[in-house]
Each structure stands twice: as C-alpha cells, then as structure tokens.
mmCIF file of all heavy atoms in Angstrom:
data_model
loop_
_atom_site.group_PDB
_atom_site.id
_atom_site.type_symbol
_atom_site.label_atom_id
_atom_site.label_comp_id
_atom_site.label_asym_id
_atom_site.label_seq_id
_atom_site.Cartn_x
_atom_site.Cartn_y
_atom_site.Cartn_z
ATOM 1 N N GLY J 690 0.762 -1.232 0.074
ATOM 2 C CA GLY J 690 0.008 0.019 0.020
ATOM 3 C C GLY J 690 0.860 1.223 0.028
ATOM 4 O O GLY J 690 2.033 1.298 0.469
ATOM 5 N N GLN J 691 0.271 2.283 -0.628
ATOM 6 C CA GLN J 691 0.902 3.713 -0.482
ATOM 7 C C GLN J 691 0.099 4.471 0.479
ATOM 8 O O GLN J 691 -1.049 4.777 0.294
ATOM 9 C CB GLN J 691 0.832 4.367 -1.901
ATOM 10 C CG GLN J 691 1.687 3.703 -2.969
ATOM 11 C CD GLN J 691 3.209 4.059 -2.808
ATOM 12 O OE1 GLN J 691 3.593 4.671 -1.723
ATOM 13 N NE2 GLN J 691 3.999 3.760 -3.729
ATOM 14 N N TYR J 692 0.790 4.845 1.614
ATOM 15 C CA TYR J 692 0.178 5.680 2.588
ATOM 16 C C TYR J 692 1.079 6.905 2.703
ATOM 17 O O TYR J 692 2.201 6.927 2.397
ATOM 18 C CB TYR J 692 0.285 5.001 3.995
ATOM 19 C CG TYR J 692 -0.446 3.554 4.022
ATOM 20 C CD1 TYR J 692 0.187 2.429 3.756
ATOM 21 C CD2 TYR J 692 -1.834 3.589 4.264
ATOM 22 C CE1 TYR J 692 -0.439 1.189 3.811
ATOM 23 C CE2 TYR J 692 -2.534 2.311 4.258
ATOM 24 C CZ TYR J 692 -1.816 1.178 4.080
ATOM 25 O OH TYR J 692 -2.428 0.006 4.061
ATOM 26 N N PRO J 693 0.460 8.067 3.185
ATOM 27 C CA PRO J 693 1.226 9.290 3.226
ATOM 28 C C PRO J 693 2.551 9.139 4.084
ATOM 29 O O PRO J 693 3.465 9.905 3.853
ATOM 30 C CB PRO J 693 0.254 10.350 3.883
ATOM 31 C CG PRO J 693 -1.089 9.766 3.484
ATOM 32 C CD PRO J 693 -0.998 8.341 3.479
ATOM 33 N N ASP J 694 2.457 8.241 5.057
ATOM 34 C CA ASP J 694 3.684 8.092 5.888
ATOM 35 C C ASP J 694 4.507 6.947 5.598
ATOM 36 O O ASP J 694 5.550 6.758 6.270
ATOM 37 C CB ASP J 694 3.243 8.042 7.396
ATOM 38 C CG ASP J 694 2.135 7.025 7.543
ATOM 39 O OD1 ASP J 694 1.601 6.397 6.625
ATOM 40 O OD2 ASP J 694 1.675 6.896 8.743
ATOM 41 N N GLY J 695 4.230 6.139 4.466
ATOM 42 C CA GLY J 695 5.116 5.133 4.111
ATOM 43 C C GLY J 695 4.559 4.212 3.045
ATOM 44 O O GLY J 695 3.307 4.181 2.777
ATOM 45 N N THR J 696 5.449 3.371 2.456
ATOM 46 C CA THR J 696 5.150 2.560 1.300
ATOM 47 C C THR J 696 5.493 1.029 1.826
ATOM 48 O O THR J 696 6.449 0.824 2.453
ATOM 49 C CB THR J 696 6.020 2.781 0.106
ATOM 50 O OG1 THR J 696 5.802 4.115 -0.282
ATOM 51 C CG2 THR J 696 5.753 1.858 -1.044
ATOM 52 N N THR J 697 4.516 0.154 1.641
ATOM 53 C CA THR J 697 4.583 -1.165 2.141
ATOM 54 C C THR J 697 4.657 -2.178 1.020
ATOM 55 O O THR J 697 4.192 -1.916 -0.021
ATOM 56 C CB THR J 697 3.437 -1.603 3.147
ATOM 57 O OG1 THR J 697 2.229 -1.629 2.425
ATOM 58 C CG2 THR J 697 3.326 -0.537 4.252
ATOM 59 N N ASP J 698 5.232 -3.375 1.349
ATOM 60 C CA ASP J 698 5.361 -4.434 0.400
ATOM 61 C C ASP J 698 5.573 -5.669 1.185
ATOM 62 O O ASP J 698 6.583 -5.828 1.982
ATOM 63 C CB ASP J 698 6.576 -4.198 -0.522
ATOM 64 C CG ASP J 698 6.789 -5.156 -1.669
ATOM 65 O OD1 ASP J 698 5.968 -6.116 -1.761
ATOM 66 O OD2 ASP J 698 7.760 -5.098 -2.378
ATOM 67 N N ILE J 699 4.643 -6.676 1.024
ATOM 68 C CA ILE J 699 4.720 -7.883 1.795
ATOM 69 C C ILE J 699 4.240 -9.051 0.890
ATOM 70 O O ILE J 699 3.257 -8.906 0.080
ATOM 71 C CB ILE J 699 3.737 -7.751 3.015
ATOM 72 C CG1 ILE J 699 3.622 -9.055 3.718
ATOM 73 C CG2 ILE J 699 2.397 -7.216 2.664
ATOM 74 C CD1 ILE J 699 2.808 -8.998 5.062
ATOM 75 N N THR J 700 4.818 -10.235 1.122
ATOM 76 C CA THR J 700 4.356 -11.410 0.460
ATOM 77 C C THR J 700 4.158 -12.484 1.537
ATOM 78 O O THR J 700 4.969 -12.703 2.406
ATOM 79 C CB THR J 700 5.376 -12.024 -0.539
ATOM 80 O OG1 THR J 700 5.716 -10.957 -1.460
ATOM 81 C CG2 THR J 700 4.765 -13.139 -1.316
ATOM 82 N N ARG J 701 2.998 -13.099 1.512
ATOM 83 C CA ARG J 701 2.684 -14.289 2.333
ATOM 84 C C ARG J 701 2.233 -15.457 1.386
ATOM 85 O O ARG J 701 1.524 -15.220 0.366
ATOM 86 C CB ARG J 701 1.649 -13.982 3.340
ATOM 87 C CG ARG J 701 2.159 -13.105 4.504
ATOM 88 C CD ARG J 701 3.194 -13.717 5.258
ATOM 89 N NE ARG J 701 3.727 -12.981 6.365
ATOM 90 C CZ ARG J 701 4.842 -12.186 6.308
ATOM 91 N NH1 ARG J 701 5.469 -12.066 5.162
ATOM 92 N NH2 ARG J 701 5.192 -11.529 7.323
ATOM 93 N N THR J 702 2.650 -16.650 1.748
ATOM 94 C CA THR J 702 2.244 -17.837 1.100
ATOM 95 C C THR J 702 1.449 -18.629 2.049
ATOM 96 O O THR J 702 1.816 -18.881 3.213
ATOM 97 C CB THR J 702 3.464 -18.649 0.636
ATOM 98 O OG1 THR J 702 4.324 -17.820 -0.161
ATOM 99 C CG2 THR J 702 3.056 -19.816 -0.210
ATOM 100 N N VAL J 703 0.249 -19.069 1.598
ATOM 101 C CA VAL J 703 -0.790 -19.695 2.539
ATOM 102 C C VAL J 703 -1.197 -21.044 1.988
ATOM 103 O O VAL J 703 -1.300 -21.219 0.729
ATOM 104 C CB VAL J 703 -2.011 -18.761 2.588
ATOM 105 C CG1 VAL J 703 -3.074 -19.359 3.491
ATOM 106 C CG2 VAL J 703 -1.566 -17.433 3.125
ATOM 107 N N TRP J 704 -1.407 -22.003 2.823
ATOM 108 C CA TRP J 704 -1.882 -23.280 2.509
ATOM 109 C C TRP J 704 -3.387 -23.279 2.592
ATOM 110 O O TRP J 704 -3.967 -22.915 3.658
ATOM 111 C CB TRP J 704 -1.287 -24.432 3.373
ATOM 112 C CG TRP J 704 -1.930 -25.709 3.069
ATOM 113 C CD1 TRP J 704 -2.759 -26.473 3.829
ATOM 114 C CD2 TRP J 704 -1.762 -26.613 1.840
ATOM 115 N NE1 TRP J 704 -3.101 -27.583 3.288
ATOM 116 C CE2 TRP J 704 -2.506 -27.809 2.016
ATOM 117 C CE3 TRP J 704 -1.024 -26.382 0.736
ATOM 118 C CZ2 TRP J 704 -2.603 -28.780 1.084
ATOM 119 C CZ3 TRP J 704 -1.074 -27.254 -0.288
ATOM 120 C CH2 TRP J 704 -1.812 -28.470 -0.068
ATOM 121 N N ILE J 705 -4.060 -23.584 1.524
ATOM 122 C CA ILE J 705 -5.540 -23.724 1.561
ATOM 123 C C ILE J 705 -5.973 -25.188 1.787
ATOM 124 O O ILE J 705 -5.732 -26.020 0.952
ATOM 125 C CB ILE J 705 -6.165 -23.168 0.219
ATOM 126 C CG1 ILE J 705 -5.731 -21.763 -0.108
ATOM 127 C CG2 ILE J 705 -7.688 -23.222 0.313
ATOM 128 C CD1 ILE J 705 -6.032 -20.691 0.857
ATOM 129 N N GLY J 706 -6.337 -25.474 2.978
ATOM 130 C CA GLY J 706 -6.696 -26.949 3.341
ATOM 131 C C GLY J 706 -7.838 -27.483 2.606
ATOM 132 O O GLY J 706 -8.183 -27.047 1.494
ATOM 133 N N PRO J 707 -8.567 -28.537 3.263
ATOM 134 C CA PRO J 707 -8.520 -28.818 4.682
ATOM 135 C C PRO J 707 -7.332 -29.856 5.012
ATOM 136 O O PRO J 707 -6.891 -29.949 6.172
ATOM 137 C CB PRO J 707 -9.808 -29.460 4.899
ATOM 138 C CG PRO J 707 -10.157 -30.095 3.646
ATOM 139 C CD PRO J 707 -9.599 -29.142 2.563
ATOM 140 N N ASP J 708 -6.789 -30.536 4.040
ATOM 141 C CA ASP J 708 -5.800 -31.642 4.381
ATOM 142 C C ASP J 708 -4.475 -30.958 4.692
ATOM 143 O O ASP J 708 -4.248 -29.757 4.320
ATOM 144 C CB ASP J 708 -5.635 -32.564 3.168
ATOM 145 C CG ASP J 708 -6.876 -33.302 2.883
ATOM 146 O OD1 ASP J 708 -7.780 -33.376 3.731
ATOM 147 O OD2 ASP J 708 -7.039 -33.861 1.798
ATOM 148 N N ALA J 709 -3.550 -31.698 5.243
ATOM 149 C CA ALA J 709 -2.272 -31.132 5.503
ATOM 150 C C ALA J 709 -1.464 -30.924 4.234
ATOM 151 O O ALA J 709 -1.608 -31.585 3.239
ATOM 152 C CB ALA J 709 -1.491 -32.130 6.442
ATOM 153 N N ALA J 710 -0.527 -29.989 4.205
ATOM 154 C CA ALA J 710 0.295 -29.686 3.020
ATOM 155 C C ALA J 710 1.137 -30.872 2.756
ATOM 156 O O ALA J 710 1.708 -31.620 3.780
ATOM 157 C CB ALA J 710 1.125 -28.498 3.328
ATOM 158 N N PRO J 711 1.454 -31.151 1.583
ATOM 159 C CA PRO J 711 2.285 -32.315 1.145
ATOM 160 C C PRO J 711 3.727 -32.081 1.711
ATOM 161 O O PRO J 711 4.215 -30.919 1.838
ATOM 162 C CB PRO J 711 2.290 -32.312 -0.396
ATOM 163 C CG PRO J 711 1.039 -31.621 -0.761
ATOM 164 C CD PRO J 711 0.797 -30.602 0.323
ATOM 165 N N ALA J 712 4.518 -33.112 1.877
ATOM 166 C CA ALA J 712 5.873 -33.052 2.472
ATOM 167 C C ALA J 712 6.772 -32.143 1.603
ATOM 168 O O ALA J 712 7.598 -31.345 2.122
ATOM 169 C CB ALA J 712 6.469 -34.412 2.657
ATOM 170 N N GLU J 713 6.657 -32.255 0.298
ATOM 171 C CA GLU J 713 7.559 -31.496 -0.569
ATOM 172 C C GLU J 713 7.289 -29.964 -0.433
ATOM 173 O O GLU J 713 8.225 -29.204 -0.343
ATOM 174 C CB GLU J 713 7.359 -31.875 -2.090
ATOM 175 C CG GLU J 713 8.167 -31.018 -2.973
ATOM 176 C CD GLU J 713 7.675 -31.141 -4.427
ATOM 177 O OE1 GLU J 713 8.206 -32.072 -5.131
ATOM 178 O OE2 GLU J 713 6.971 -30.259 -4.991
ATOM 179 N N VAL J 714 5.967 -29.619 -0.371
ATOM 180 C CA VAL J 714 5.651 -28.184 -0.204
ATOM 181 C C VAL J 714 6.153 -27.647 1.084
ATOM 182 O O VAL J 714 6.753 -26.563 1.145
ATOM 183 C CB VAL J 714 4.143 -28.011 -0.284
ATOM 184 C CG1 VAL J 714 3.792 -26.562 -0.085
ATOM 185 C CG2 VAL J 714 3.673 -28.391 -1.719
ATOM 186 N N LYS J 715 6.012 -28.448 2.138
ATOM 187 C CA LYS J 715 6.511 -27.954 3.458
ATOM 188 C C LYS J 715 7.985 -27.914 3.449
ATOM 189 O O LYS J 715 8.565 -26.963 4.034
ATOM 190 C CB LYS J 715 5.995 -28.912 4.541
ATOM 191 C CG LYS J 715 4.474 -28.910 4.714
ATOM 192 C CD LYS J 715 3.913 -29.842 5.813
ATOM 193 C CE LYS J 715 4.321 -29.373 7.184
ATOM 194 N NZ LYS J 715 3.712 -30.199 8.224
ATOM 195 N N ASP J 716 8.696 -28.854 2.845
ATOM 196 C CA ASP J 716 10.131 -28.798 2.748
ATOM 197 C C ASP J 716 10.641 -27.509 1.997
ATOM 198 O O ASP J 716 11.427 -26.804 2.541
ATOM 199 C CB ASP J 716 10.662 -29.983 1.970
ATOM 200 C CG ASP J 716 12.162 -29.956 1.747
ATOM 201 O OD1 ASP J 716 12.938 -30.410 2.677
ATOM 202 O OD2 ASP J 716 12.552 -29.434 0.632
ATOM 203 N N ARG J 717 10.036 -27.195 0.792
ATOM 204 C CA ARG J 717 10.394 -26.012 0.134
ATOM 205 C C ARG J 717 10.047 -24.730 0.905
ATOM 206 O O ARG J 717 10.913 -23.816 0.988
ATOM 207 C CB ARG J 717 9.755 -25.911 -1.235
ATOM 208 C CG ARG J 717 9.880 -27.181 -2.167
ATOM 209 C CD ARG J 717 11.412 -27.563 -2.336
ATOM 210 N NE ARG J 717 11.576 -28.513 -3.357
ATOM 211 C CZ ARG J 717 11.955 -29.737 -3.196
ATOM 212 N NH1 ARG J 717 12.129 -30.245 -1.965
ATOM 213 N NH2 ARG J 717 12.090 -30.652 -4.186
ATOM 214 N N PHE J 718 8.927 -24.686 1.442
ATOM 215 C CA PHE J 718 8.500 -23.538 2.243
ATOM 216 C C PHE J 718 9.482 -23.270 3.420
ATOM 217 O O PHE J 718 9.901 -22.201 3.683
ATOM 218 C CB PHE J 718 7.100 -23.636 2.749
ATOM 219 C CG PHE J 718 6.607 -22.454 3.579
ATOM 220 C CD1 PHE J 718 5.912 -21.404 2.867
ATOM 221 C CD2 PHE J 718 6.727 -22.311 4.944
ATOM 222 C CE1 PHE J 718 5.496 -20.274 3.638
ATOM 223 C CE2 PHE J 718 6.367 -21.187 5.656
ATOM 224 C CZ PHE J 718 5.702 -20.232 4.994
ATOM 225 N N THR J 719 9.796 -24.386 4.083
ATOM 226 C CA THR J 719 10.680 -24.284 5.298
ATOM 227 C C THR J 719 12.150 -23.865 4.853
ATOM 228 O O THR J 719 12.741 -23.036 5.594
ATOM 229 C CB THR J 719 10.712 -25.539 6.022
ATOM 230 O OG1 THR J 719 9.314 -25.905 6.351
ATOM 231 C CG2 THR J 719 11.451 -25.352 7.413
ATOM 232 N N ARG J 720 12.569 -24.271 3.752
ATOM 233 C CA ARG J 720 13.938 -23.839 3.296
ATOM 234 C C ARG J 720 13.824 -22.418 2.928
ATOM 235 O O ARG J 720 14.795 -21.649 3.149
ATOM 236 C CB ARG J 720 14.332 -24.648 2.011
ATOM 237 C CG ARG J 720 14.613 -26.104 2.334
ATOM 238 C CD ARG J 720 14.975 -26.891 1.133
ATOM 239 N NE ARG J 720 15.253 -28.296 1.489
ATOM 240 C CZ ARG J 720 16.325 -28.846 1.983
ATOM 241 N NH1 ARG J 720 17.425 -27.979 2.154
ATOM 242 N NH2 ARG J 720 16.497 -30.124 2.298
ATOM 243 N N VAL J 721 12.798 -21.900 2.369
ATOM 244 C CA VAL J 721 12.598 -20.472 2.094
ATOM 245 C C VAL J 721 12.612 -19.723 3.386
ATOM 246 O O VAL J 721 13.226 -18.628 3.547
ATOM 247 C CB VAL J 721 11.436 -20.207 1.232
ATOM 248 C CG1 VAL J 721 11.132 -18.685 1.117
ATOM 249 C CG2 VAL J 721 11.487 -20.794 -0.142
ATOM 250 N N LEU J 722 11.855 -20.193 4.364
ATOM 251 C CA LEU J 722 11.761 -19.577 5.709
ATOM 252 C C LEU J 722 13.099 -19.478 6.378
ATOM 253 O O LEU J 722 13.451 -18.467 6.970
ATOM 254 C CB LEU J 722 10.714 -20.309 6.562
ATOM 255 C CG LEU J 722 10.572 -19.912 7.982
ATOM 256 C CD1 LEU J 722 10.084 -18.358 8.014
ATOM 257 C CD2 LEU J 722 9.599 -20.655 8.783
#
C-alpha cells in the first residue's frame, strides 16, 4: 500500500486446506523460511 507516511510491500504464502500440506511443499517452504 501507498500511505502518506510510508510505502509497504509484503508477500505471504498460504496453504488452503483442509488436508495437511504435502511433504515437498512444506520442505520447500521451510527452506525459504
């Protein structure tokens, strides 16, 4: 967002369930984290 007092930039990656995320996805996400 552009606000008069600052500019923001954020990325979030979300798992859409209901099942648990696959092991490969969790491995890649955790390495990024």
Side-chain angles (χ1 to χ4, degrees):
Q691 291 285 10
Y692 303 94
D694 47 1
T696 299
T697 67
D698 183 3
I699 172 177
T700 307
R701 287 297 180 264
T702 305
V703 179
W704 175 251
I705 307 297
D708 298 341
E713 179 194 276
V714 173
K715 294 179 72 172
D716 175 88
R717 303 306 192 251
F718 182 89
T719 308
R720 289 179 185 277
V721 171
L722 175 60

